[in-house]
């Protein structure tokens, strides 16, 4: 039985690679939200909390392969999947699938770059949010990338946001936050950065 699972996993992985390549990088992201293949099972791919992609416990060392897989990643109600027109394989994501590793301010927008090379402008369609650990008080900031997929904002990038932040009165009281595309995104209660 283990041998059959391994063969199925490799065939599934190969099919995902072929389908992702067939869509072509130059044509943009594949329309995974329109594909409705049958669920084919789980594949031993894990995206760790630190952003490392593993296959069968070993890091996927080729950034272009990780980028390719990221283009066919979809979040469904039952979890994260690599999706092609004919296969849907469930993977494990420990936190969020992407990391926001850079932020730039361009024409009134905060533009985040992810570890797989995507760029997203924070705004009403792609909000920035911060969860706070109730025990440690540690902030966990995220930015929406596309169709339910988020990037965890890396600590140095979050510090840059705090440097850009301003205090504002909100319905939840005074907040420290940033503005992008005319939307205000709270980062922490006012004075938290002092």
């Amino acid at each position: 039985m283990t041998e059959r699972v391994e063969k199925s996993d490799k065939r599934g992985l190969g099919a995902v690679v072929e389908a992702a390549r067939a869509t072509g990088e130059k044509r943009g992201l594949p329309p995974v939200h329109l594909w409705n293949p049958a669920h084919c099972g789980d594949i031993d791919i894990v995206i760790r909390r630190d952003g490392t992609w593993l296959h069968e416990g070993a890091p996927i060392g080729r950034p272009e392969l990780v980028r390719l897989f990221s283009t066919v990643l979809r979040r469904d109600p039952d979890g994260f999947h690599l999706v092609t027109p004919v296969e849907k394989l469930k993977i494990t994501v420990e936190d969020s699938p992407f990391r926001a590793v850079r932020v730039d301010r361009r024409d009134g927008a905060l533009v985040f770059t992810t570890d797989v090379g995507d760029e997203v402008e924070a705004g009403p369609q792609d909000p920035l949010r911060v969860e706070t650990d109730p025990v440690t008080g540690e902030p966990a900031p995220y930015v929406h990338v596309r169709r339910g997929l988020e990037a965890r904002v890396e600590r140095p990038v979050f510090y840059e946001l705090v440097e850009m932040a301003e205090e504002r009165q909100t319905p939840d009281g005074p907040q420290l936050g940033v503005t992008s595309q005319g939307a205000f995104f709270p980062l922490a209660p006012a004075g938290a950065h002092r």
Side-chain angles (χ1 to χ4, degrees), residues 7 22 30 35 37 39 46 54 67 71 77 157 166-167 176:
K7 285 182 182 176
W35 297 339
H39 179 73
V46 176
L54 305 173
R67 169 68 185 154
T71 66
V157 176
E166 61 185 54
E167 291 186 9
L176 180 69

Side-chain angles (χ1 to χ4, degrees), residues 11-94:
R11 189 185 73 240
L13 186 61
V16 169
V17 170
E18 287 175 28
R21 283 190 179 139
T23 63
E25 286 279 351
K26 294 179 182 169
R27 293 188 294 179
L29 294 169
V32 296
H33 61 291
L34 300 176
W35 297 339
N36 294 303
H39 179 73
C40 299
D42 296 352
I43 189 167
D44 189 7
I45 289 182
V46 176
I47 304 174
R48 290 194 343 206
R49 182 174 299 280
D50 68 1
T52 303
W53 288 58
L54 305 173
H55 179 247
E56 296 180 347
I60 299 173
R62 294 180 40 214
E64 58 279 352
L65 191 57
V66 169
R67 169 68 185 154
L68 195 62
F69 288 150
S70 78
T71 66
V72 294
L73 183 63
R74 185 171 81 191
R75 184 175 190 173
D76 289 345
D78 65 334
F80 294 90
H81 299 85
L82 297 179
V83 181
T84 73
V86 296
E87 285 191 298
K88 178 179 172 183
L89 299 162
K90 190 170 186 180
I91 69 168
T92 301
V93 177
E94 292 181 349

Side-chain angles (χ1 to χ4, degrees), residues 58-139:
I60 299 173
R62 294 180 40 214
E64 58 279 352
L65 191 57
V66 169
R67 169 68 185 154
L68 195 62
F69 288 150
S70 78
T71 66
V72 294
L73 183 63
R74 185 171 81 191
R75 184 175 190 173
D76 289 345
D78 65 334
F80 294 90
H81 299 85
L82 297 179
V83 181
T84 73
V86 296
E87 285 191 298
K88 178 179 172 183
L89 299 162
K90 190 170 186 180
I91 69 168
T92 301
V93 177
E94 292 181 349
D95 182 21
S96 63
F98 309 124
R99 306 273 110 10
V101 296
R102 180 183 171 131
V103 64
D104 296 293
R105 186 170 284 287
R106 292 187 208 146
D107 301 322
L110 293 171
V111 181
F112 291 87
T113 304
T114 71
D115 53 347
V116 294
D118 290 324
E119 281 194 353
V120 61
E121 289 185 8
Q125 299 294 329
D126 294 307
L128 176 65
R129 68 180 180 87
V130 178
E131 288 184 10
T132 304
D133 185 296
V135 176
T136 65
E138 183 78 20

Side-chain angles (χ1 to χ4, degrees), residues 166-177 184-190:
E166 61 185 54
E167 291 186 9
R168 239 188 224 186
Q169 188 62 37
T170 72
D172 296 325
Q175 295 284 317
L176 180 69
F184 181 75
F185 299 104
L187 301 177

Side-chain angles (χ1 to χ4, degrees), residues 126-165:
D126 294 307
L128 176 65
R129 68 180 180 87
V130 178
E131 288 184 10
T132 304
D133 185 296
V135 176
T136 65
E138 183 78 20
Y142 299 87
V143 63
H144 182 261
V145 176
R146 64 178 178 271
R147 295 185 181 88
L149 299 175
E150 291 184 311
R152 172 90 178 245
V153 177
E154 293 287 286
R155 188 179 303 267
V157 176
F158 185 66
Y159 290 155
E160 286 184 57
L161 293 175
V162 171
E163 288 293 318
M164 296 179 205

